[in-house]
Amino acid sequence: MGIILLAFGLVLIVEGLAYALAPSLIERMLEMLRALPEAARRQVGLLSAVSGLILVWLAYHLGV
């Protein structure tokens, strides 16, 4: 359970820094996402989830 809290905390730190340091960039990225078709957004989401899963698997096998 502790590792899940750690991962969630790291995500919040990265997301919070992005919003704090570059809010206009976040707005432009959201506009670009809105312009994409729904199927493309689903593919981006799936790619992100699979990438995250690979990173978690890699960290687990490296003993982190």
Side-chain angles (χ1 to χ4, degrees):
M1 183 66 171
I3 195 79
I4 293 172
L5 291 175
L6 174 64
F8 188 61
L10 290 171
V11 168
L12 289 176
I13 290 169
V14 171
E15 295 242 350
L17 284 174
Y19 280 105
L21 299 176
S24 61
L25 178 63
I26 299 295
E27 287 180 25
R28 285 189 301 217
M29 288 175 51
L30 288 173
E31 288 173 10
M32 289 171 44
L33 279 172
R34 277 190 216 108
L36 286 176
E38 186 176 333
R41 283 182 271 166
R42 287 184 191 274
Q43 288 177 338
V44 168
L46 184 58
L47 180 63
S48 295
V50 169
S51 298
L53 182 62
I54 290 169
L55 288 173
V56 168
W57 179 82
L58 185 62
Y60 176 78
H61 285 287
L62 290 175
V64 174

